Amino acid sequence: MSSSASTSAQEPTRRDFIYIMTGAVGAVGAGLYAWPLIDQMNPAADTKALSTIEVDMAGVEEGQQIIVKWQGKPVFIRHRTKKEIDEARAVDAASLRDPQTDDQRLVPDMNGNLQPQYLVMIGICTHLGCVPIGDGAGDYDGWFCPCHGSQYDSSGRIRKGPAPKNLPLPPYKYLSNTLIKIG
Amino acid sequence: MSGYSSYEPKSGFEKWLDSRLPIVRLGYDTFIFPTPRNLNYWWTFGGILAVMLMSQIITGVILAMHYVPHVDMAYDSIQHINRDVNFGWLLQPMHAVGASMMFLAVYIHMFRGIYYGSYKAPREVLWIVGMAIYLLMMATGFMGYVLPWGQMSFWGATVITNLFSAIPFVGDAITSWLWGGFAVGDPTLNRFFSLHFLLPFLILGLVILHVWALHVPGNNNPTGISVKDVEKDTLSFHPYYTVKDAFAIVVFLMVFAAFVFFMPDALGHPDNFIRANPLVTPAEIVPEWYYLPFYAMLRAIPDKLGGVITMFGAIALLFVLPWLDTSKVRSMRYRPLAKLFFLIFVLACIGLGWCGANSPMAMVFVTGTDAATGEPTGFSFLWLARILTLYYYAFFLLILPILGLVEKPKPRPQSIEQSVLGKGEA
Ligand code: HEM
Ligand code: FES
């Protein structure tokens, strides 16, 4: 070591070069080895093979909500009442924690029209993942999360409590007036 | 274990072995070890913990012979253990109650360390290894609780794994990596079982380091003053403290047995006798009692990331405690003010646990009713939790650093021997 210490102030030696190369190859090798060990924990191919489901919403009465399971997660499909829609629209979106208008919470049907009566959302609280209670629960005629008290309005937007974001929307599209495909 | 050794191999075989693998010496030095002569019963909890860890490992390995880590079968396999497996009715509660008993012992062990200043130089590393053990215990207990796959198992797993989603940018990638899917499910249960099997053995490894780090500086003691004269101040660990520890272990095991035989489910939650249902969250989610103080801190902060940071920060503070306390005097026996603040600290921790067990919206005491809604008004658990969280942080970040500089400690005895024999006690 003393020889390399005395030379290091001057030109890098061949030995320095070999040290660095060995270290670099070792580091890359360790990384290549570690990645499979880490990545195996990510969702497997069959889990990921995006399962899609079709749901006919015609059977959902006004003022009712059904919960369907998609990718292991609950999806809320609520047939909103006129009052709920009006309340959701009356809110000034800019004043919200996660600003979104009611229209932005909907997906146009095949004719490009919105169907505001049908609200489709992933029923997972954006705080820590509980399933909020629906049927107009909470102070905003929407959803109330029993875990830590987050409240969502009739458009599924966060209004009160610790959750940072609105209830997320799953990817879905209309196949007919009432039939949707999620995923 | 290190340096000091009074072992002298006697037989020819012992001499032969000692110069090749000094394993008898290791065992000998672990038990024939000079120990302060004034240790009280608060020093028995380390031994109690070692016994409980072995009990958990033995019962755990046995449970793993009968348990099935699959979402459709896990719940039933626990019923099968309890009803059908020979002595399953004994072994399953021993393991489940044993986890609680371990946490009870570890909390006493840690409060002991704080009160007597056992984390101060030269025992910082000993303390930090202990904290690492505590962290692993929390992870082990959490993953074990998921295995029976009841409602609390599932929703506890959901809430705790979602804590990581609070991390900016990479949060969602981390949670899905933890789950092996898009929600808690079969891959999650399987990996938790695998890790729950592994971690206790890592804990065992850390316990060995812990004991090693203990044997370098030796035990602290209730006076906090260092050993000056090995002859006068110490006794051999064996037989003096093996006997004292054994007595405490027997008493502790009696409490353990009382739970196992008479109220095996008292510490659990009734909802965990309902099968996991990913579509319905129970009316309230309550973690196991030993996580309640941290759960209360999480809920005290009305912001997701803030709540998570507050919770993990509370544990991080314990890691750096040796550098937060500025007092040179170890034992709070001689620090009247510190003693008072410590007492409040213990009460604050218990109070936080109480908050964690109650809905934040519920009232600690009611002062009246809201005229508009008819709901009771008063002092809520949310506010109690906020005040206590503030105290918890203040204890570490303000009280201990400042107190060490301004407090005037009481006079300490000249030596450990003097404190025991009372001669010239100041
Ligand atoms: C530090 C040590 C340990 C702690 C704190 C701990 C904690 C726990 C807890 C809280 C449960 C849930 C019990 C219930 O609700 O029924 C559990 C279950 C379980 N543990 Fe452990 N455990 C430890 C060591 C081990 C070891 C070493 C193994 C196996 C190698 C193991 C295997 C199991 C199995 C198979 C279950 C599921 C069966 C059951 O729920 O009773 N554990 N553990
Ligand atoms: S998970 Fe919904 S408020 Fe915490």
Side-chain angles (χ1 to χ4, degrees), chain B residues 109-179:
Chain B
H109 193 68
M110 290 163 75
F111 279 130
R112 184 283 317 261
I114 297 177
Y115 183 79
Y116 292 112
S118 297
Y119 49 81
K120 292 187 197 181
R123 298 186 182 79
E124 302 94 324
V125 174
L126 173 60
W127 174 262
I128 288 172
V129 173
M131 280 307 299
I133 293 174
Y134 174 61
L135 266 193
L136 282 189
M137 272 178 66
M138 303 252 270
T140 309
F142 160 63
M143 289 191 279
Y145 193 61
V146 175
L147 301 181
W149 210 243
Q151 271 290 69
M152 275 302 157
S153 299
F154 182 90
W155 290 102
T158 299
V159 167
I160 301 299
T161 48
N162 264 301
L163 292 179
F164 295 91
S165 72
I167 301 170
F169 308 115
V170 291
D172 289 332
I174 291 179
T175 44
S176 135
W177 177 75
L178 288 171
W179 294 332

Side-chain angles (χ1 to χ4, degrees), chain A residues 38-44 47-48 67-69 71-74 126-131 144 146-149 161-162 164, chain B residues 155 158-159 162-163 165 173 176-178 180-183 191 278-279 281-285 295 298-299 301-304 361:
Chain A
I38 295 167
D39 189 43
Q40 53 80 21
M41 277 179 62
N42 274 317
T47 311
K48 253 188 333 208
I67 304 182
V68 297
K69 206 166 155 186
Q71 283 191 345
K73 293 182 278 207
T126 57
H127 181 226
L128 296 174
C130 293
V131 179
F144 171 78
C147 289
H148 318 99
Chain B
W155 290 102
T158 299
V159 167
N162 264 301
L163 292 179
S165 72
S176 135
W177 177 75
L178 288 171
F182 306 103
R191 62 190 55 182
L279 297 187
T281 305
E284 45 164 357
I285 294 193
Y295 194 57
L298 172 75
R299 296 194 298 189
I301 312 296
D303 173 78
K304 180 168 166 175
M361 269 83 85

Side-chain angles (χ1 to χ4, degrees), chain B residues 17 55 92 94 110 121 127 143 150 163 199 202 212 215 268 282 297 302 317 322 332 342 345 361 391 421:
Chain B
L17 186 63
S55 166
Q92 194 274 337
M94 269 179 78
M110 290 163 75
W127 174 262
M143 289 191 279
L163 292 179
L199 292 193
L202 293 189
W212 188 7
H215 279 226
M297 291 189 198
L317 281 180
M332 287 191 189
F342 170 80
F345 174 71
M361 269 83 85
Y391 182 79
L421 302 180

Side-chain angles (χ1 to χ4, degrees), chain B residues 218-289:
Chain B
N219 286 88
N220 183 29
N221 67 86
T223 65
I225 54 181
S226 307
V227 171
K228 297 198 176 89
D229 181 336
V230 176
E231 282 292 299
K232 293 191 177 131
D233 290 343
T234 69
L235 295 169
S236 168
F237 183 76
H238 179 75
Y240 297 97
Y241 287 109
T242 41
V243 169
K244 187 166 186 152
D245 277 0
F247 178 71
I249 289 166
V250 169
V251 173
F252 191 83
L253 291 181
M254 283 164 68
V255 179
F256 180 29
F259 274 102
V260 169
F261 289 106
F262 298 112
M263 37 192 172
D265 298 319
L267 299 168
H269 194 286
D271 277 4
N272 227 23
F273 287 95
I274 304 171
R275 262 170 226 277
N277 180 350
L279 297 187
V280 181
T281 305
E284 45 164 357
I285 294 193
V286 197
E288 292 273 89
W289 68 266

